[in-house]
């Protein structure tokens, strides 16, 4: 990568200070983009974890309901036969 100093930039008709300010802004934008991507990734992972917890709770509830139905079926059969 070729690095030019302010004098060399000015020889090319480029304002050296403006160039450095733009470079600093670009670096800040890149850093912000990286930070935003990390925040989005973290939020996404948390959402997946929350969804998995909800699914687990739903499966537990479903299993409890199935068990309750089985108990009721056994109870109702024994009640009818007595």
């Amino acid at each position: 990568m070729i690095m030019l100093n302010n004098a060399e930039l000015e020889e090319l008709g480029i304002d050296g200070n403006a160039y450095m300010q733009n470079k600093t802004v670009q670096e800040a934008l890149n850093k912000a983009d990286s930070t935003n991507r990390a925040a989005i990734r973290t939020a996404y992972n948390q959402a997946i974890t929350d969804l998995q917890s909800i699914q687990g709770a739903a499966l537990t509830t479903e299993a409890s309901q199935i068990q309750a139905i089985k108990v009721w079926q056994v109870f109702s059969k024994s009640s009818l036969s007595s």
Side-chain angles (χ1 to χ4, degrees), residues 36-70:
N36 288 340
R37 287 176 189 268
I40 290 168
R41 206 171 17 257
T42 299
Y44 173 79
N45 288 338
Q46 184 60 51
I48 294 298
T49 300
D50 292 348
L51 179 60
Q52 289 169 339
S53 295
I54 291 166
Q55 288 172 331
L59 289 174
T60 300
T61 301
E62 183 181 20
S64 297
Q65 290 171 342
I66 291 170
Q67 186 62 34
I69 290 168
K70 288 179 180 178

Side-chain angles (χ1 to χ4, degrees), residues 2-70:
I2 299 172
M3 299 295 291
L4 302 175
N5 62 34
N6 280 356
E8 292 167 326
L9 289 170
E10 287 175 11
E11 281 182 34
L12 296 171
I14 299 170
D15 180 346
N17 289 329
Y19 174 80
M20 291 308 292
Q21 287 174 348
N22 184 52
K23 184 176 176 189
T24 301
V25 167
Q26 286 299 320
E27 288 170 354
L29 288 173
N30 288 341
K31 184 177 180 183
D33 182 51
S34 176
T35 301
N36 288 340
R37 287 176 189 268
I40 290 168
R41 206 171 17 257
T42 299
Y44 173 79
N45 288 338
Q46 184 60 51
I48 294 298
T49 300
D50 292 348
L51 179 60
Q52 289 169 339
S53 295
I54 291 166
Q55 288 172 331
L59 289 174
T60 300
T61 301
E62 183 181 20
S64 297
Q65 290 171 342
I66 291 170
Q67 186 62 34
I69 290 168
K70 288 179 180 178

Side-chain angles (χ1 to χ4, degrees), residues 62-78:
E62 183 181 20
S64 297
Q65 290 171 342
I66 291 170
Q67 186 62 34
I69 290 168
K70 288 179 180 178
V71 168
W72 176 253
Q73 288 171 338
V74 170
F75 173 76
S76 61
K77 283 180 186 176
S78 65

